[in-house]
PDB file of all heavy atoms in Angstrom:
ATOM      1  N   TRP A 288      93.428 129.924 106.970  1.00  0.00           N
ATOM      2  CA  TRP A 288      92.331 129.719 107.973  1.00  0.00           C
ATOM      3  C   TRP A 288      91.147 130.535 107.510  1.00  0.00           C
ATOM      4  O   TRP A 288      91.295 131.686 107.150  1.00  0.00           O
ATOM      5  CB  TRP A 288      92.806 130.092 109.350  1.00  0.00           C
ATOM      6  CG  TRP A 288      91.748 129.740 110.331  1.00  0.00           C
ATOM      7  CD1 TRP A 288      91.732 128.622 111.102  1.00  0.00           C
ATOM      8  CD2 TRP A 288      90.629 130.561 110.778  1.00  0.00           C
ATOM      9  NE1 TRP A 288      90.566 128.624 111.893  1.00  0.00           N
ATOM     10  CE2 TRP A 288      89.881 129.798 111.644  1.00  0.00           C
ATOM     11  CE3 TRP A 288      90.116 131.761 110.411  1.00  0.00           C
ATOM     12  CZ2 TRP A 288      88.719 130.216 112.268  1.00  0.00           C
ATOM     13  CZ3 TRP A 288      88.906 132.237 110.924  1.00  0.00           C
ATOM     14  CH2 TRP A 288      88.248 131.474 111.885  1.00  0.00           C
ATOM     15  N   PRO A 289      89.966 129.980 107.531  1.00  0.00           N
ATOM     16  CA  PRO A 289      89.644 128.579 107.792  1.00  0.00           C
ATOM     17  C   PRO A 289      90.094 127.647 106.692  1.00  0.00           C
ATOM     18  O   PRO A 289      90.379 128.108 105.596  1.00  0.00           O
ATOM     19  CB  PRO A 289      88.097 128.579 107.902  1.00  0.00           C
ATOM     20  CG  PRO A 289      87.657 129.759 107.098  1.00  0.00           C
ATOM     21  CD  PRO A 289      88.757 130.760 107.189  1.00  0.00           C
ATOM     22  N   TRP A 299      83.135 125.150 113.096  1.00  0.00           N
ATOM     23  CA  TRP A 299      82.724 125.449 111.703  1.00  0.00           C
ATOM     24  C   TRP A 299      81.398 126.319 111.622  1.00  0.00           C
ATOM     25  O   TRP A 299      81.364 127.303 110.903  1.00  0.00           O
ATOM     26  CB  TRP A 299      82.621 124.221 110.865  1.00  0.00           C
ATOM     27  CG  TRP A 299      82.178 124.531 109.433  1.00  0.00           C
ATOM     28  CD1 TRP A 299      81.052 124.125 108.865  1.00  0.00           C
ATOM     29  CD2 TRP A 299      82.917 125.322 108.402  1.00  0.00           C
ATOM     30  NE1 TRP A 299      80.989 124.591 107.537  1.00  0.00           N
ATOM     31  CE2 TRP A 299      82.090 125.398 107.300  1.00  0.00           C
ATOM     32  CE3 TRP A 299      84.096 126.053 108.462  1.00  0.00           C
ATOM     33  CZ2 TRP A 299      82.458 126.032 106.180  1.00  0.00           C
ATOM     34  CZ3 TRP A 299      84.478 126.744 107.318  1.00  0.00           C
ATOM     35  CH2 TRP A 299      83.694 126.728 106.198  1.00  0.00           C
ATOM     36  N   SER A 300      80.453 125.955 112.479  1.00  0.00           N
ATOM     37  CA  SER A 300      79.143 126.687 112.312  1.00  0.00           C
ATOM     38  C   SER A 300      79.341 128.173 112.725  1.00  0.00           C
ATOM     39  O   SER A 300      78.846 129.057 112.098  1.00  0.00           O
ATOM     40  CB  SER A 300      78.069 126.024 113.167  1.00  0.00           C
ATOM     41  OG  SER A 300      78.582 125.709 114.426  1.00  0.00           O
ATOM     42  N   MET A 301      80.230 128.384 113.721  1.00  0.00           N
ATOM     43  CA  MET A 301      80.475 129.757 114.165  1.00  0.00           C
ATOM     44  C   MET A 301      81.266 130.467 113.038  1.00  0.00           C
ATOM     45  O   MET A 301      80.961 131.664 112.746  1.00  0.00           O
ATOM     46  CB  MET A 301      81.322 129.720 115.418  1.00  0.00           C
ATOM     47  CG  MET A 301      80.961 130.730 116.446  1.00  0.00           C
ATOM     48  SD  MET A 301      81.766 130.341 117.999  1.00  0.00           S
ATOM     49  CE  MET A 301      83.466 130.202 117.475  1.00  0.00           C
ATOM     50  N   VAL A 302      82.276 129.792 112.486  1.00  0.00           N
ATOM     51  CA  VAL A 302      83.145 130.417 111.463  1.00  0.00           C
ATOM     52  C   VAL A 302      82.251 130.893 110.307  1.00  0.00           C
ATOM     53  O   VAL A 302      82.428 132.023 109.809  1.00  0.00           O
ATOM     54  CB  VAL A 302      84.227 129.437 110.992  1.00  0.00           C
ATOM     55  CG1 VAL A 302      84.909 129.976 109.782  1.00  0.00           C
ATOM     56  CG2 VAL A 302      85.181 129.110 112.120  1.00  0.00           C
ATOM     57  N   LYS A 303      81.388 130.014 109.872  1.00  0.00           N
ATOM     58  CA  LYS A 303      80.685 130.424 108.609  1.00  0.00           C
ATOM     59  C   LYS A 303      79.625 131.479 108.854  1.00  0.00           C
ATOM     60  O   LYS A 303      79.153 132.157 107.976  1.00  0.00           O
ATOM     61  CB  LYS A 303      80.114 129.213 107.849  1.00  0.00           C
ATOM     62  CG  LYS A 303      79.120 128.437 108.537  1.00  0.00           C
ATOM     63  CD  LYS A 303      78.665 127.287 107.646  1.00  0.00           C
ATOM     64  CE  LYS A 303      77.467 126.626 108.158  1.00  0.00           C
ATOM     65  NZ  LYS A 303      77.027 125.494 107.357  1.00  0.00           N
ATOM     66  N   GLU A 304      79.197 131.593 110.132  1.00  0.00           N
ATOM     67  CA  GLU A 304      78.284 132.690 110.478  1.00  0.00           C
ATOM     68  C   GLU A 304      79.013 133.983 110.302  1.00  0.00           C
ATOM     69  O   GLU A 304      78.460 134.975 109.786  1.00  0.00           O
ATOM     70  CB  GLU A 304      77.834 132.506 111.922  1.00  0.00           C
ATOM     71  CG  GLU A 304      76.353 132.546 112.112  1.00  0.00           C
ATOM     72  CD  GLU A 304      75.942 132.116 113.518  1.00  0.00           C
ATOM     73  OE1 GLU A 304      76.147 132.941 114.440  1.00  0.00           O
ATOM     74  OE2 GLU A 304      75.546 130.967 113.639  1.00  0.00           O
ATOM     75  N   LYS A 305      80.257 133.973 110.793  1.00  0.00           N
ATOM     76  CA  LYS A 305      81.082 135.249 110.682  1.00  0.00           C
ATOM     77  C   LYS A 305      81.611 135.531 109.281  1.00  0.00           C
ATOM     78  O   LYS A 305      81.761 136.594 108.831  1.00  0.00           O
ATOM     79  CB  LYS A 305      82.226 135.176 111.672  1.00  0.00           C
ATOM     80  CG  LYS A 305      81.760 135.111 113.121  1.00  0.00           C
ATOM     81  CD  LYS A 305      82.683 135.953 114.017  1.00  0.00           C
ATOM     82  CE  LYS A 305      82.114 136.075 115.438  1.00  0.00           C
ATOM     83  NZ  LYS A 305      82.689 135.115 116.356  1.00  0.00           N
ATOM     84  N   LEU A 306      81.971 134.390 108.600  1.00  0.00           N
ATOM     85  CA  LEU A 306      82.526 134.509 107.223  1.00  0.00           C
ATOM     86  C   LEU A 306      81.676 133.774 106.285  1.00  0.00           C
ATOM     87  O   LEU A 306      81.965 132.555 105.954  1.00  0.00           O
ATOM     88  CB  LEU A 306      83.957 133.905 107.247  1.00  0.00           C
ATOM     89  CG  LEU A 306      84.991 134.502 108.227  1.00  0.00           C
ATOM     90  CD1 LEU A 306      86.235 133.602 108.267  1.00  0.00           C
ATOM     91  CD2 LEU A 306      85.349 135.874 107.918  1.00  0.00           C
ATOM     92  N   PRO A 307      80.643 134.325 105.705  1.00  0.00           N
ATOM     93  CA  PRO A 307      79.731 133.627 104.867  1.00  0.00           C
ATOM     94  C   PRO A 307      80.424 133.048 103.581  1.00  0.00           C
ATOM     95  O   PRO A 307      79.869 132.021 103.044  1.00  0.00           O
ATOM     96  CB  PRO A 307      78.707 134.674 104.464  1.00  0.00           C
ATOM     97  CG  PRO A 307      78.845 135.813 105.438  1.00  0.00           C
ATOM     98  CD  PRO A 307      80.232 135.763 105.921  1.00  0.00           C
ATOM     99  N   ASP A 308      81.516 133.535 103.161  1.00  0.00           N
ATOM    100  CA  ASP A 308      82.171 133.028 101.967  1.00  0.00           C
ATOM    101  C   ASP A 308      83.285 132.010 102.314  1.00  0.00           C
ATOM    102  O   ASP A 308      84.136 131.697 101.440  1.00  0.00           O
ATOM    103  CB  ASP A 308      82.809 134.133 101.139  1.00  0.00           C
ATOM    104  CG  ASP A 308      81.710 135.086 100.608  1.00  0.00           C
ATOM    105  OD1 ASP A 308      80.582 134.608 100.375  1.00  0.00           O
ATOM    106  OD2 ASP A 308      82.044 136.283 100.433  1.00  0.00           O
ATOM    107  N   ALA A 309      83.315 131.567 103.567  1.00  0.00           N
ATOM    108  CA  ALA A 309      84.400 130.701 104.023  1.00  0.00           C
ATOM    109  C   ALA A 309      84.656 129.480 103.098  1.00  0.00           C
ATOM    110  O   ALA A 309      85.782 129.189 102.779  1.00  0.00           O
ATOM    111  CB  ALA A 309      84.195 130.274 105.438  1.00  0.00           C
ATOM    112  N   ALA A 310      83.576 128.818 102.735  1.00  0.00           N
ATOM    113  CA  ALA A 310      83.736 127.644 101.894  1.00  0.00           C
ATOM    114  C   ALA A 310      84.329 127.993 100.569  1.00  0.00           C
ATOM    115  O   ALA A 310      85.310 127.396 100.096  1.00  0.00           O
ATOM    116  CB  ALA A 310      82.373 126.876 101.706  1.00  0.00           C
ATOM    117  N   GLU A 311      83.764 128.958  99.917  1.00  0.00           N
ATOM    118  CA  GLU A 311      84.210 129.411  98.569  1.00  0.00           C
ATOM    119  C   GLU A 311      85.655 129.815  98.636  1.00  0.00           C
ATOM    120  O   GLU A 311      86.439 129.541  97.719  1.00  0.00           O
ATOM    121  CB  GLU A 311      83.351 130.550  98.085  1.00  0.00           C
ATOM    122  CG  GLU A 311      82.898 130.391  96.674  1.00  0.00           C
ATOM    123  CD  GLU A 311      81.913 131.439  96.252  1.00  0.00           C
ATOM    124  OE1 GLU A 311      81.111 131.891  97.172  1.00  0.00           O
ATOM    125  OE2 GLU A 311      81.893 131.789  95.077  1.00  0.00           O
ATOM    126  N   ASP A 312      86.066 130.461  99.751  1.00  0.00           N
ATOM    127  CA  ASP A 312      87.420 130.998  99.830  1.00  0.00           C
ATOM    128  C   ASP A 312      88.481 129.888  99.943  1.00  0.00           C
ATOM    129  O   ASP A 312      89.687 130.106  99.727  1.00  0.00           O
ATOM    130  CB  ASP A 312      87.557 131.944 101.065  1.00  0.00           C
ATOM    131  CG  ASP A 312      86.801 133.248 100.778  1.00  0.00           C
ATOM    132  OD1 ASP A 312      86.435 133.516  99.615  1.00  0.00           O
ATOM    133  OD2 ASP A 312      86.545 133.985 101.780  1.00  0.00           O
ATOM    134  N   MET A 313      87.990 128.673 100.353  1.00  0.00           N
ATOM    135  CA  MET A 313      88.986 127.588 100.490  1.00  0.00           C
ATOM    136  C   MET A 313      89.286 126.906  99.131  1.00  0.00           C
ATOM    137  O   MET A 313      90.233 126.140  98.984  1.00  0.00           O
ATOM    138  CB  MET A 313      88.307 126.444 101.296  1.00  0.00           C
ATOM    139  CG  MET A 313      88.478 126.566 102.785  1.00  0.00           C
ATOM    140  SD  MET A 313      87.593 125.183 103.435  1.00  0.00           S
ATOM    141  CE  MET A 313      86.721 126.055 104.657  1.00  0.00           C
ATOM    142  N   ILE A 314      88.436 127.221  98.156  1.00  0.00           N
ATOM    143  CA  ILE A 314      88.519 126.454  96.850  1.00  0.00           C
ATOM    144  C   ILE A 314      89.575 127.067  95.964  1.00  0.00           C
ATOM    145  O   ILE A 314      89.628 128.292  95.857  1.00  0.00           O
ATOM    146  CB  ILE A 314      87.123 126.462  96.176  1.00  0.00           C
ATOM    147  CG1 ILE A 314      86.106 125.694  97.066  1.00  0.00           C
ATOM    148  CG2 ILE A 314      87.234 125.855  94.802  1.00  0.00           C
ATOM    149  CD1 ILE A 314      84.671 125.765  96.548  1.00  0.00           C
ATOM    150  N   PHE A 352      78.703 119.867 105.585  1.00  0.00           N
ATOM    151  CA  PHE A 352      79.477 120.835 104.760  1.00  0.00           C
ATOM    152  C   PHE A 352      79.058 120.694 103.283  1.00  0.00           C
ATOM    153  O   PHE A 352      78.801 121.729 102.607  1.00  0.00           O
ATOM    154  CB  PHE A 352      80.943 120.578 104.957  1.00  0.00           C
ATOM    155  CG  PHE A 352      81.894 121.389 104.070  1.00  0.00           C
ATOM    156  CD1 PHE A 352      81.947 122.755 104.252  1.00  0.00           C
ATOM    157  CD2 PHE A 352      82.686 120.812 103.130  1.00  0.00           C
ATOM    158  CE1 PHE A 352      82.806 123.544 103.445  1.00  0.00           C
ATOM    159  CE2 PHE A 352      83.553 121.542 102.307  1.00  0.00           C
ATOM    160  CZ  PHE A 352      83.550 122.910 102.505  1.00  0.00           C
ATOM    161  N   GLU A 355      75.275 121.902 102.960  1.00  0.00           N
ATOM    162  CA  GLU A 355      74.969 123.294 103.255  1.00  0.00           C
ATOM    163  C   GLU A 355      75.883 124.320 102.585  1.00  0.00           C
ATOM    164  O   GLU A 355      75.436 125.366 102.180  1.00  0.00           O
ATOM    165  CB  GLU A 355      75.088 123.551 104.810  1.00  0.00           C
ATOM    166  CG  GLU A 355      73.974 122.782 105.548  1.00  0.00           C
ATOM    167  CD  GLU A 355      74.282 122.728 107.054  1.00  0.00           C
ATOM    168  OE1 GLU A 355      75.057 123.554 107.553  1.00  0.00           O
ATOM    169  OE2 GLU A 355      73.742 121.815 107.703  1.00  0.00           O
ATOM    170  N   ASP A 356      77.086 123.912 102.359  1.00  0.00           N
ATOM    171  CA  ASP A 356      78.121 124.889 101.875  1.00  0.00           C
ATOM    172  C   ASP A 356      78.570 124.670 100.468  1.00  0.00           C
ATOM    173  O   ASP A 356      78.963 125.535  99.760  1.00  0.00           O
ATOM    174  CB  ASP A 356      79.306 124.986 102.835  1.00  0.00           C
ATOM    175  CG  ASP A 356      78.865 125.201 104.260  1.00  0.00           C
ATOM    176  OD1 ASP A 356      78.163 126.199 104.493  1.00  0.00           O
ATOM    177  OD2 ASP A 356      79.173 124.370 105.140  1.00  0.00           O
ATOM    178  N   ILE A 357      78.582 123.384 100.042  1.00  0.00           N
ATOM    179  CA  ILE A 357      79.136 123.176  98.647  1.00  0.00           C
ATOM    180  C   ILE A 357      78.011 122.980  97.662  1.00  0.00           C
ATOM    181  O   ILE A 357      78.094 123.603  96.551  1.00  0.00           O
ATOM    182  CB  ILE A 357      79.982 121.816  98.737  1.00  0.00           C
ATOM    183  CG1 ILE A 357      81.275 122.055  99.623  1.00  0.00           C
ATOM    184  CG2 ILE A 357      80.489 121.430  97.294  1.00  0.00           C
ATOM    185  CD1 ILE A 357      82.162 123.211  99.234  1.00  0.00           C
ATOM    186  N   PRO A 359      75.206 124.501  97.261  1.00  0.00           N
ATOM    187  CA  PRO A 359      74.709 125.791  96.749  1.00  0.00           C
ATOM    188  C   PRO A 359      75.712 126.426  95.706  1.00  0.00           C
ATOM    189  O   PRO A 359      75.296 127.316  95.012  1.00  0.00           O
ATOM    190  CB  PRO A 359      74.615 126.680  97.962  1.00  0.00           C
ATOM    191  CG  PRO A 359      74.493 125.702  99.106  1.00  0.00           C
ATOM    192  CD  PRO A 359      75.274 124.501  98.737  1.00  0.00           C
ATOM    193  N   LEU A 360      76.973 125.979  95.679  1.00  0.00           N
ATOM    194  CA  LEU A 360      77.928 126.565  94.734  1.00  0.00           C
ATOM    195  C   LEU A 360      77.759 125.962  93.345  1.00  0.00           C
ATOM    196  O   LEU A 360      78.376 126.434  92.355  1.00  0.00           O
ATOM    197  CB  LEU A 360      79.356 126.323  95.214  1.00  0.00           C
ATOM    198  CG  LEU A 360      79.716 126.921  96.593  1.00  0.00           C
ATOM    199  CD1 LEU A 360      81.101 126.606  96.967  1.00  0.00           C
ATOM    200  CD2 LEU A 360      79.446 128.402  96.670  1.00  0.00           C
TER     201      LEU A 360
END
Side-chain angles (χ1 to χ4, degrees):
W288 186 91
W299 180 243
S300 46
M301 219 168 55
V302 169
K303 66 180 191 182
E304 230 168 79
K305 295 218 172 97
L306 305 170
D308 296 330
E311 226 171 329
D312 290 346
M313 272 179 227
I314 297 175
F352 175 66
E355 293 165 23
D356 307 305
I357 296 301
L360 300 179

